[in-house]
């Protein structure tokens, strides 16, 4: 059985998120999705997600491509691997070539695990959606 893993904030769920999950599930038998906790997001973005962790977990759990959802409390990708022991990590290609993922790839290769990069969905992101909503509220 091929175990897959991906992580994200998944705030303001959109088609880019859905495509990532569908592509991931197409490339594994069991897909675990890690969703970043509210505090973790605040620690590295200095702002909280709009959608609560409980609601994001519920949304992800209801998607047919997702077999398991776990809450992620730190950004250490090596520790995540050691905890969840997946065969394939699924990531947007906007991370390809980054120091973090180049280093992680070397680490994972020791365990017969690999990183799959999927096309990042251009022209849509939770950050863009938040920006549009903020501009609407500022006009009121």
């Amino acid at each position: 059985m091929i175990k897959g893993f991906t992580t994200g904030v998944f705030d303001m769920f959109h088609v880019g998120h859905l495509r990532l999950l569908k592509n991931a599930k197409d490339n594994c038998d069991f897909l675990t999705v890690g969703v970043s906790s509210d505090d973790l997001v605040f620690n590295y973005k200095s702002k909280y997600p709009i959608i609560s962790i409980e609601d994001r977990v519920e949304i992800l759990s209801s998607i047919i491509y997702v077999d398991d959802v776990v809450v992620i409390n730190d950004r250490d990708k090596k520790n995540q691997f050691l905890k969840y022991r997946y065969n394939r990590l699924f990531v947007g290609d906007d991370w390809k070539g980054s120091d973090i993922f180049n280093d992680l790839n070397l680490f994972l290769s020791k365990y017969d695990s690999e990183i799959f990069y999927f096309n990042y969905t251009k022209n849509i992101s939770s950050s863009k959606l938040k920006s549009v909503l903020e501009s609407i509220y500022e006009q009121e």
Side-chain angles (χ1 to χ4, degrees):
M1 178 169 71
I2 297 172
K3 292 172 63 176
F5 189 76
T6 192
T7 63
V9 178
F10 299 101
D11 197 18
M12 299 187 64
F13 196 87
H14 56 73
V15 72
H17 294 137
L18 186 64
R19 289 175 184 160
L20 169 69
L21 299 174
K22 181 183 183 318
N23 287 335
K25 184 61 177 182
D26 286 345
N27 286 281
C28 68
D29 301 308
F30 188 92
L31 179 61
T32 299
V33 176
V35 59
S36 299
S37 70
D38 292 344
D39 289 338
L40 175 61
V41 174
F42 184 81
N43 285 339
Y44 72 91
K45 290 190 175 191
S46 299
K47 56 186 175 181
Y48 287 103
I50 291 175
I51 309 300
S52 72
I53 185 64
E54 295 83 9
D55 289 350
R56 289 181 285 134
V57 167
E58 184 176 342
I59 290 165
L60 289 164
S61 296
S62 69
I63 295 171
I64 61 173
Y65 310 117
V66 176
D67 297 300
D68 190 27
V69 178
V70 295
V71 175
I72 301 296
N73 291 303
D74 72 66
R75 296 184 73 193
D76 188 320
K77 302 290 186 193
K78 292 176 185 176
N79 282 343
Q80 290 170 12
F81 170 78
L82 294 172
K83 185 170 184 177
Y84 299 107
R85 295 291 180 156
Y86 51 80
N87 306 101
R88 295 178 178 170
L89 175 64
F90 304 107
V91 181
D93 65 0
D94 53 322
W95 287 101
K96 193 171 191 173
S98 69
D99 290 342
I100 291 170
F101 283 92
N102 286 340
D103 180 54
L104 182 61
N105 190 50
L106 290 173
F107 173 80
L108 293 176
S109 67
K110 297 174 188 173
Y111 295 93
D112 248 358
S113 186
E114 58 189 324
I115 301 173
F116 279 49
Y117 293 96
F118 294 133
N119 290 336
Y120 182 78
T121 305
K122 293 171 180 46
N123 301 321
I124 188 161
S125 72
S126 295
S127 297
K128 286 182 182 180
L129 292 172
K130 285 181 207 175
S131 177
V132 168
L133 288 174
E134 287 169 355
S135 70
I136 290 170
Y137 286 114
E138 287 172 1
Q139 294 174 8
E140 293 181 346

